[in-house]
Amino acid sequence: MHPKYNETINKLRMWSQNEKSIQGVIILGSQVRDEFEGDAWSDLDVLLLADTPSDFMQSDKWLDFLGEVVCAVIEETPLDWINMTWSVKRILFTDNRAVDFSILPSDR
């Protein structure tokens, strides 16, 4: 993993332990892959399992603990065959960290 994400991971761990509506956090993607690992330009991919995903999709306030947000983009992909929408909140922070939060319902 690129060192610029170490503090992000630690802050996510602390935040998720105190956020009652978060049931799980999984770090995945190129930053944690052994083969063809990510570089300084690769984003950090985070899967959040939330009781109410819409709370996190509709607001950026919850991201304050990670730093100042420059840009936030929401991407939603309908998965009709399982009656669900895959929602990703792509965040760019002022220090050039890019974090993609896939936020899914914890009951799924």
Side-chain angles (χ1 to χ4, degrees), residues 15-16 18-25 47-57 102-108:
W15 171 80
S16 66
N18 294 311
E19 183 62 45
K20 294 186 185 326
S21 64
I22 296 295
Q23 302 306 316
V25 177
L47 174 62
L48 293 180
L49 300 173
D51 292 340
T52 53
S54 60
D55 291 350
F56 299 98
M57 295 304 290
S102 293
I103 306 173
L104 299 176
S106 58
D107 62 354
R108 292 301 298 255

Side-chain angles (χ1 to χ4, degrees), residues 31-66:
Q31 288 296 336
V32 294
R33 193 172 49 216
D34 287 335
E35 295 181 345
F36 309 110
E37 64 186 31
D39 57 18
W41 299 105
S42 299
D43 63 359
L44 180 66
D45 296 300
V46 178
L47 174 62
L48 293 180
L49 300 173
D51 292 340
T52 53
S54 60
D55 291 350
F56 299 98
M57 295 304 290
Q58 295 171 0
S59 171
D60 293 342
K61 186 70 178 152
W62 65 275
L63 294 163
D64 287 351
F65 75 97
L66 291 174

Side-chain angles (χ1 to χ4, degrees), residues 57 60 69 71-75 88-92 100-101:
M57 295 304 290
D60 293 342
V69 173
C71 182
V73 176
I74 295 174
E75 182 180 313
V88 179
K89 190 165 197 162
R90 300 183 189 284
I91 306 297
L92 177 63
D100 287 357
F101 291 95

